[in-house]
Amino acid sequence: MSRRFPRDTVGALRGDGRGWVLLTVAVGWLFTLGLRFLVPTLLPQVKSTFHLDNAAAGLAVTIIWGCYALMQFPAGLLTDRIGERTVLAASLAGSAASLALLAAAPLFVVFLLGAAAFGVGSGLYGPARGMSLSKAFPANDGAAFGITLAAGSLGSAVIPLVGGTAVGILGWRLLVGGTVPAFLVVAVLAWVTLPDPIDSAPRTDGGSAGASPSLRAVFRSLPRALGDRNVLLASVAFTFYLFAFQGLTAFLPTYLVTHEGIGQSLAGLIFSLLFVGGTICQVAVGTASDRYGARPVLVGVAVVAVVTLLAVPAVDGRLAWGVLVFLLGTRLALAPVTNSYIVARLPTDVQGAAWGFLRTCLFLVGSTGSVFVGAMADAGRFDAAFLALGGVTAVAVVCYAGLSPGE
């Protein structure tokens, strides 16, 4: 991964038609991630509709993330074989169908099926997104990942904010169902603008661009691909980060409403500040990692993530909450830097499969964070749950610090 800081970052990302690739992938991620965080914002209404407790509501969020996790390895295999364009378009179209089911669910069990379907559909997006950006921007991967994930953070800020404000008027069903046309439009955009697999760059292993290793060869290559010490350390760190992030985002709006006595509209606004902070930090940190290397950036951001989580039980007042939640958003900068760091160190012949396998493991473990916090909340230990998340994030700091110097 290049450390050269480009004189004109925007120009470097737009050359040779790559701007359309970045725009399409970023917009698709904006809607995919934004909808994933709309559900936590609407949990109070969903709980009321289906008469749920916090643990059951957390289960719905965990199912989304769990199915998302389980799709990562198959999505990586598919990306290696049929190309990023087909997988990304299929992900967006499948997400549209699942959201229609989610919005129309007459029973909680059907709602859970819709949540699972959305996890599957959106789960196709991650590996293909990573491979598309890695191929299109080999010298500026940190900046490209940063912009794309910042777009996701922007969607995560705006969509839940609109949802939290409008849910009292429109209801949660109409809000969820109203996003279906947007997903379909971006699916068409992905099919039209992204390069066909036949136009992809040749593989560096000497094979043809259109050839893919057999499934048996892929499984034989995984130990080689995943045996790198830095890949393992970064992956373990990211797993702890995801667990804490999932627990935080699944129940922060509920915590603000039920524990702090803040109205839902204002709670939605405060929650959106987490992603505003993340958007700003992701762009800046992604570019900084290209210049200074990933290790110092990851350690610094993770330390801030620990401190801000530990401060949650001590904060009081709406203004203070706005400032803290904005600072909590800096943790989102860990994702683009870790993603680009790991992808750049995987063998190109099984890059999609190896990255997908890793993402399955990372997100499957991370998805349990919402159930953990939900169970703690039902036991009357909401504050202790956030302190525990801070401790989990501290383990990530240690792992990031263990990366090779100069990396």
Side-chain angles (χ1 to χ4, degrees):
M1 180 172 58
S2 173
R3 293 189 189 178
R4 182 176 58 84
F5 185 77
R7 290 177 135 183
D8 185 357
T9 301
V10 174
L13 296 174
R14 291 177 59 188
D16 300 323
R18 293 177 299 167
W20 280 108
V21 174
L22 182 57
L23 176 65
T24 301
V25 174
V27 171
W29 189 237
L30 182 151
F31 284 113
T32 297
L33 196 60
L35 261 294
R36 202 179 305 157
F37 289 113
L38 177 63
V39 174
T41 303
L42 303 179
L43 275 186
Q45 283 71 34
V46 174
K47 287 168 57 181
S48 177
T49 298
F50 298 114
H51 308 290
L52 308 174
D53 59 15
N54 285 315
L59 177 62
V61 180
T62 290
I63 284 177
I64 292 176
W65 281 87
C67 290
Y68 177 91
L70 290 173
M71 282 304 298
Q72 300 305 292
F73 184 44
L77 291 174
L78 285 172
T79 302
D80 282 338
R81 281 159 173 73
I82 63 178
E84 296 84 7
R85 182 181 74 168
T86 303
V87 175
L88 290 174
S91 170
L92 293 162
S95 294
S98 67
L99 290 168
L101 176 62
L102 204 63
L107 302 171
F108 183 55
V109 65
V110 180
F111 184 87
L112 292 179
L113 289 175
F118 181 68
V120 170
S122 61
L124 290 170
Y125 204 90
R129 177 202 67 197
M131 297 306 99
S132 181
L133 295 177
S134 183
K135 289 179 181 178
F137 307 100
N140 309 96
D141 55 350
F145 272 93
I147 290 172
T148 299
L149 271 68
S153 296
L154 180 62
S156 301
V158 174
I159 293 175
L161 174 59
V162 172
T165 302
V167 66
I169 301 172
L170 301 177
W172 69 267
R173 294 184 186 275
L174 184 57
L175 286 172
V176 173
T179 63
V180 170
F183 274 86
L184 294 176
V185 169
V186 184
V188 173
L189 182 65
W191 185 259
V192 171
T193 62
L194 295 181
D196 188 87
I198 197 171
D199 298 324
S200 299
R203 296 214 320 263
T204 59
D205 63 351
S208 63
S212 296
S214 66
L215 191 59
R216 177 178 295 181
V218 168
F219 279 104
R220 287 178 175 175
S221 299
L222 282 179
R224 169 175 59 88
L226 306 179
D228 183 278
R229 173 181 173 275
N230 289 318
V231 168
L232 289 175
L233 275 175
S235 299
V236 171
F238 199 53
T239 301
F240 284 108
Y241 155 79
L242 285 171
F243 181 92
F245 178 73
Q246 180 59 29
L248 170 68
T249 55
F251 280 99
L252 183 57
T254 301
Y255 181 86
L256 293 174
V257 173
T258 62
H259 194 275
E260 296 296 313
I262 297 174
Q264 187 167 359
S265 295
L266 182 57
L269 175 60
I270 293 175
F271 184 54
S272 72
L273 292 176
L274 186 146
F275 300 101
V276 173
T279 300
I280 295 170
C281 195
Q282 281 173 328
V283 175
V285 170
T287 302
S289 71
D290 287 337
R291 182 177 186 179
Y292 301 111
R295 181 173 177 261
V297 170
L298 289 168
V299 171
V301 175
V303 168
V304 173
V306 173
V307 173
T308 51
L309 271 173
L310 295 180
V312 167
V315 171
D316 188 27
R318 297 176 181 182
L319 179 60
W321 267 112
V323 173
L324 178 62
V325 172
F326 181 88
L327 294 175
L328 280 167
T330 60
R331 69 182 41 250
L332 274 70
L334 291 171
V337 180
T338 306
N339 284 353
S340 61
Y341 182 91
I342 294 174
V343 170
R345 285 156 182 78
L346 297 174
T348 55
D349 55 324
V350 290
Q351 194 175 54
W355 182 222
F357 178 80
L358 275 175
R359 286 174 64 86
T360 288
C361 298
L362 303 179
F363 283 98
L364 197 58
V365 176
S367 69
T368 61
S370 58
V371 171
F372 168 77
V373 175
M376 291 282 283
D378 286 339
R381 302 181 65 84
F382 228 150
D383 286 338
F386 288 109
L387 293 176
L389 296 182
V392 166
T393 307
V395 179
V397 174
V398 175
C399 293
Y400 283 133
L403 297 176
S404 298
E407 289 287 332

